[in-house]
């Protein structure tokens, strides 16, 4: 408010001016990136996703993060992930979520899993259009299996047939 008072040689018809600040910023919105990397051969590999908040919140914003299977399977290809709540305090614009991916030595196709955002609360925040799912792509880093066959040399014999037994050997593991 702007107030006029005590005019000299004049009268006040309206002594109050009201200034209205119009908010031209949209509500904060949350999104998550996708991650693509090799699985490794043993142990686990950390797939680190970043949840980003665009815009400014003047109060805490929370979002629930969970996973779901794509072509990868929780508990086998990646660690079962218990949904967690991330909190963005005013001024914080990014938080990270780590999903552990199991290493193996099996040749297989690339596999995917999803990291999902849901249940946003506080600060008028929303999930950005198309930004609520991060895709984890587990890139196969194992060689295709190979096959070889041995050579066999035998005398033909004088009558009947002679069996030639060949051994086919597969080298490498495959889930296919």
């Amino acid at each position: 408010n702007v107030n006029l008072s005590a005019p000299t040689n004049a009268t006040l018809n309206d002594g109050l001016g009201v200034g209205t600040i119009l908010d031209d910023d949209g509500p904060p919105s949350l999104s998550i990136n996708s991650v693509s990397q090799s699985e490794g051969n043993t142990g686990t590999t950390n797939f680190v996703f970043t949840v980003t908040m665009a815009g400014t919140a003047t109060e805490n914003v929370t979002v629930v993060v969970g996973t779901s299977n794509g072509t990868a399977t929780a508990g086998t290809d990646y660690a079962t992930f218990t949904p967690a709540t991330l909190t963005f305090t005013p001024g914080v614009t990014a938080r990270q979520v780590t999903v552990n991916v199991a290493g193996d030595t099996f040749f297989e196709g690339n596999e995917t899993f999803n990291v999902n955002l849901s249940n946003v609360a506080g600060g008028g925040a929303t999930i950005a259009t198309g930004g609520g799912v991060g895709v984890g792509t587990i890139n196969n880093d194992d060689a295709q299996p190979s096959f070889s066959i041995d050579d066999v040399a035998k005398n033909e014999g004088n009558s009947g047939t002679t069996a030639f037994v060949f051994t086919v050997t597969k080298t490498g593991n495959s889930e296919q």
Side-chain angles (χ1 to χ4, degrees):
N1 292 330
V2 176
N3 295 306
L4 299 177
S5 62
T8 303
N9 299 324
T11 60
L12 292 175
N13 288 333
D14 182 3
L16 176 64
V18 176
T20 303
I21 301 170
L22 301 175
D23 184 3
D24 62 352
D25 301 317
S29 63
L30 299 168
S31 62
I32 186 167
N33 68 320
S34 293
V35 174
S36 178
Q37 64 187 47
S38 296
E39 63 193 349
N41 291 330
T42 60
T44 58
T45 299
N46 293 336
F47 277 48
V48 180
F49 295 81
T50 301
V51 179
T52 304
M53 183 167 60
T56 304
T58 57
E59 62 183 74
N60 288 352
V61 172
T62 61
V63 62
V64 175
V65 180
T67 60
S68 62
N69 292 343
T71 55
T73 304
T76 302
D77 299 308
Y78 67 98
T80 302
F81 185 89
T82 302
T85 300
L86 297 180
T87 300
F88 290 80
T89 57
V92 173
T93 59
R95 298 288 312 269
Q96 292 186 325
V97 175
T98 300
V99 178
N100 295 317
V101 170
D104 65 36
T105 57
F106 291 94
F107 175 76
E108 57 196 337
N110 293 342
E111 298 173 304
T112 61
F113 62 93
N114 302 310
V115 179
N116 309 297
L117 303 180
S118 64
N119 300 327
V120 178
T126 61
I127 295 174
T129 303
V133 178
V135 177
T137 301
I138 305 169
N139 295 322
N140 177 62
D141 59 358
D142 303 304
Q144 272 186 305
S146 62
F147 290 92
S148 61
I149 190 167
D150 66 342
D151 296 327
V152 176
K154 278 187 160 185
N155 292 328
E156 63 186 17
N158 293 327
S159 64
T161 60
T162 301
F164 278 57
V165 178
F166 293 85
T167 302
V168 177
T169 304
K170 180 182 100 171
T171 303
N173 296 319
S174 176
E175 287 188 353
Q176 300 174 342

